[in-house]
Amino acid sequence: MRHLWAIGLVFVLGCEGIISRVGSDFIDGAGGGDGAGGGDGAGGGTDVGPPPDLSCDPSNYVGVRLEAIVEAYTTDVHPLVVGAEQGCIACHAANSNRLFIVSADGTDTFHRLRGGDYFKDQPGSFVSRLMNGDERTRMPLGKPAWSKTQIEAVARVGCMIRGLEMAGGLAADEQFPPELMSPWTGAANTDYDNTFINFLQLRSKVSAVFNDDWRRAAALPDGGVGAMEDRFDKNIGLFGGVNFRSHFVEARAATPEFLLGLDQLGPDVCGRAATAKTGPFVGADPALPVIDVPAETTTTFEAETVTITNRANVGNPTTNPVGFSCYTNCELTADFTALAPGDYRVTVRAKADNDDGGNGPKIGVQLGAVSAAMPLTFTDQAQYVEQSVTIRITAAGRQPITVSYINDYNNPAIAGGDRNVALDRFTITGPLGMGTGTTRSVAAKATINTLVQRLLFRPATTAEQDSLYTLLKDLTLLGGTQTDAWSGVCDALMRHPDFLFLVPPSSADVTGAAKQRLLAVGLAQHLLGRPPTPAEFTTLSAQGYPALVDALLSSPDFERYYFTRVQLRIESQGTPESDEPARLWTHVVVNRLPFARILDAEFTIDPSGARQTRPAEHGKTGVLTMKGYLSSKPGLPHYNYPARVLSGFMGTVFEVPPEVFDQRGTATATSTVDPASVCYTCHQLLTPLAHQRLRWADNGDFRTVDEQGEAIDDSDRGLVPTYGYKGNGLEAFSTKAVKKESFVRRMLAMQFRLLMGRELRYREDERELYRQLWDVSTTSQGDLKAVLKHIATSTTFTRGAP
């Protein structure tokens, strides 16, 4: 057994202690207060007197309106509840972590009291807590007891409620909470409510975008290649995923390990796609050069404007045209900025002064660190001529250009023995043969835009194109192939928030069709575990967002992905037996059956997906008597099963405070339902349900006798007179539980969590949405697909978009 949850039970002492009436005398700590609404509350010691009159004839209140009962409470009782001297709010404020919360609003607190059955005539009720004779557990803890008149006011409100329900009014726990019908007046919630991608969604997105399942040949120790292995499954721990074979608990938030997983995934899938021109690179050629190459230009340097070294014996500028005469070796140097690597043509205009029989002056040319292979020789003494040399440089940027007279000669004894040169100017033209110089950068940015659209499902902004192009050029200069550089850009996009969050955060910056497209990405990833297909995007553009919601809910991928969500919910082990509850649950949702069938269905769904009748002993119990649900939740004496049922389906919170552990060793099933026991708060529900489960062994088998061969009594045994699920077996529980507001809320909240990745704030700013979902579930007879559609089209999910 891979999972065995420890039961957590709430036993809250102090203000929430369990009280029972003890003895016939009443301890009046109010010192003769003047009534529930005006008692002095301070008290002056304690007086012993007759107990309050708690007699109730509900028929006196038949026809009473709920509003009148609320007014009676808010006028006669609530001022005491929130009072400083005798109030409950000190222990039961919103931040107290108590099962019952008191607010300043009387109407709100009344409905909470009624919904929690605190007005019923039963142990643990409001009245019984006020009247407990044990100072350690009497409410309010450590404060003067309420007066006889004040307690009678509480009892009167309870009697009015019984009169209302006797006349046919819905039970408080089977209707929408009236306190949530008033608008939320608190502060707006500003929590970030987008969700990080999970393992299955990441896997599906990589498959959709790259057409790559990340299966690669395993590397063998000897350097060979082994069988294909699933790299997603191999790295599932890094991504916090589940496969229901080795991993069963999904990460609830992004982790540093997830990013380590991307370090392996991104370069691999991007590199393969760029090399093979697949996935986001279809139609592109990542091997083409992309460095921005400028158009061919010419720069001219006049001799008289440049730096001259070895100025000795350099003549004055000559005329026709202006230039310098070099009577000895000299260098003319200027700063030139090369716009790109490539070939550059350097042209020198000069005239020989004595060509020495054809062996005229020679001019050397150097551009940057590269010298021309051969010098230029000038022999024409009559006029200036131009000669050129081509030099290839490998880097853009500042490149000094040097033109040097290098073969000065002077022998006065020989006629014409003084060789000199006149330099007019030199020009640099290049880079040569590169066309207009814009084609490559424009094409590269267009490819970048294509990558963004295919990975992030939206066009790239101008700023993104520029920054990604800069990244591409930087990666190009680092070495490796041009394809490697493109792979790096792809890898960077896989780490973009629009790729890693389910609703692309960029949706907040756009409107109209662009916003709906990004919302569609989030919707599909939430509902189907993958991005939308081209056909689904076509549905969005042609028919609108609501039509897309219908299309996604009808997709076979919805059933597959929803099933995995339910597997997590019921903690499946991935076996056909442990998956049975998930199969039923998913079948109910996909086929739009009332969601009550999850708990009260008389049928099951076999591994092939077919509906099958269950043996009669199951009755109307849905998942509750399936082996896959029972077997990981022990029954008596552990109470794990009832705790998990009540927390999972009814929203009851159970914890065990330290002070309870001392009593657990000697507690029995009977003692836990003693109203005077500290265990009663929780065990008034847990113990009867544990007995109703007795016909089902811990391994999930049905039985009619116990380990001693005795016939099993699987009734609630009348252990708690006010138990709301009385009857024999788990069918008695399930058929009553499906009517409760808490069950409805849990089912609606699960659908909300599927789409929003968080809990529904049903008591706060999302109470109106909760009411809408309640109404949708009622009018659709419990169709959870209708509920999902309402959430998907609500302004909560669409982030305010219409």
Side-chain angles (χ1 to χ4, degrees), residues 602-615:
E602 296 179 274
F603 59 89
T604 187
I605 306 300
D606 68 21
S608 73
R611 181 167 166 165
Q612 303 291 346
T613 301
R614 303 177 79 190

Side-chain angles (χ1 to χ4, degrees), residues 395-448:
R398 180 181 177 277
Q399 307 283 341
I401 173 70
T402 302
V403 176
S404 307
Y405 173 39
I406 60 175
N407 68 331
D408 180 54
Y409 174 77
N410 184 14
N411 186 349
I414 301 174
D418 186 9
R419 184 168 56 228
N420 300 301
V421 68
L423 293 170
D424 178 25
R425 65 174 179 261
F426 53 88
T427 62
I428 304 176
T429 302
L432 302 177
M434 298 300 183
T436 64
T438 61
T439 303
R440 291 181 180 176
S441 64
V442 171
K445 289 184 178 180
T447 301
I448 286 171

Side-chain angles (χ1 to χ4, degrees), residues 217-227:
L220 299 179
D222 61 1
V225 177

Side-chain angles (χ1 to χ4, degrees), residues 242-258:
V242 293
N243 57 12
F244 301 105
R245 298 188 310 275
S246 60
H247 292 74
F248 302 89
V249 180
E250 186 174 82
R252 295 175 178 263
T255 63
E257 289 76 16
F258 192 103

Side-chain angles (χ1 to χ4, degrees), residues 278-294:
T278 56
F281 291 99
V282 168
D285 188 354
L288 288 177
V290 298
I291 297 299
D292 197 9
V293 180

